[in-house]
Every structure is written in structure tokens, then in C-alpha cells.
Amino acid sequence: MKQLLTTLMLFLLAFEIHADCAMNGLSIYPSGKIINQNSIFILTGYGGSKDVIIGLNKKYATYLKCGNTKVKLNVLETNVGQFQLTQAVLKPESELVAGLEYQFVIDSLPIYEGLGDYDRTTNNYLPLLFKVSKVRDLEKPKILSQPRLLRKTYVPFGCGPAVYAVFNKSVTDKSGVIVKTKLKNLSTGTETLFYISPYGNEILVGHDMCSGGFDLGYSNHFEVEFSFMDSSGNTTSWTGNKVKFTSPTP
């Protein structure tokens, strides 16, 4: 029964965003519609949308808009994942005003790209809107216990396997957290940094059928460390020993 539940969880995760392994796609963190006055954003591009992420504020102006007011979104860092994902961490150039609603805008997007929900009636993307709360969050996430390896999974699907090393997440924060994950391949010396959203109380390092931050390959040895960042950019850094593990196997 436990194996069946694990398989079902990974099946659902694999199809959560890219049911048919699309050619491109953009997603944003935080996913909720209410944000703090000092919120940050993480924009992730799938497949061909890598060009959009790399081109932010170069080819594609990026900002929040409220009426005639525009707040530029500065790119703090860009991370290229190992399995079809690229992301940028964005911070508003000035603090947002409580009570106002801002639209997240990227100018000059190709016609096949879009932000927000897709309206099949009009064949257009709905505006991506965020309402600003009165909260200005300055508190860092609190780590209750250090992450540890729970299990490794390798589940085959039609277009490829879902491969994960699964760690526990024991962190509290009133604004929610995203996990800054640094993975080092001890077999090659390659280091990869990528932000991943927790799946419940677990951290899944790897990739689903279509995409993911990390490609664990075969017969590789790794070490991983995590830092935890909330939606306002407050970060609690890793303090424990790095966790070592090997590639999941079929």
C-alpha cells in the first residue's frame, strides 16, 4: 500500500504542470494572489521559455503595474536547472503599497508565451494579479530539524521516469517557504543551484517525467544542502552537515 501511494503521488506530481510535456511554459512563486509589501518573486521557465528567463529586462521588460504606476522587477539571480527548467529571482525596485492590486507584466512576450491562467473561451491569458497585504515580513524561516534523506524513488512513465531523492522538511514560517537547493555531483564535481517548492512536508530533489531542477543520472554520488527562503526573501542558511546519497535506481 505504501509503494502504491508513493507511485500515485509521483504520478500526480509528474502531470501537475506539464501533462503532455509541452514545449514551453512559465510559472511563478508565490502562487497565491495575496503578497506582502516586501514580496519577492521567482519566475520559472520550462523548455523553450528559457529564452524569456535569460532575456528578462534585456529583451523583455519586467515590472508590476498598478494604474499608471510601474515598479521594475530587478533580477537578483538566474539559475539554470539540469532538466528543462530555468528560473530568475525577482525583487521589486521599491516597496509595494498595501491595499493596492498589481499586475505582473512581461513586455513583448512571444505569442505562444503567457502568464496567469489561460481562458479557453477567449483563447487569451488572464492578467496575473497580486493584492498587497499590510504585512512587511522581516522574520526568517525557523528550522525545526535538519533535512534527512527519507527515500529514493524511480518511477517509469510514458515519456520518461520520475526520479527523486526525497528529504523531510521541518521548517516554520508565516509566509511559506521555498527551498534553495545546492546539489554537488561528487562524481564530476558539478554544482547546481535551484529553488524548489516543497511537496507537503517533503523536499523532492530530482525531476518528474518532463522537467525538474536536477538530473540525478545513474551511478552518481551526490551531496546536497538546503537553505530556506520565504516569499519576502528572508533566508535561513544551512547549518548542518551536507547530506550524501547516490542516484535512485529502477
Side-chain angles (χ1 to χ4, degrees), residues 103 115-119 122 124-128:
Q103 181 181 353
L115 289 166
D117 296 325
Y118 187 73
D119 187 343
T122 62
N124 289 309
Y125 286 91
L126 299 175
L128 181 57

Side-chain angles (χ1 to χ4, degrees), residues 233-248:
N234 304 304
T235 302
T236 299
S237 299
W238 176 270
T239 57
N241 295 325
K242 299 173 184 178
V243 181
K244 291 181 170 59
F245 67 96
T246 57
S247 303

Side-chain angles (χ1 to χ4, degrees), residues 143-168:
I143 299 177
L144 303 180
S145 63
Q146 293 289 355
R148 66 185 187 281
L149 180 66
L150 299 177
R151 62 187 180 278
K152 296 182 290 184
T153 61
Y154 186 109
V155 182
F157 291 109
C159 295
V163 182
Y164 290 105
V166 183
F167 300 82
N168 71 302

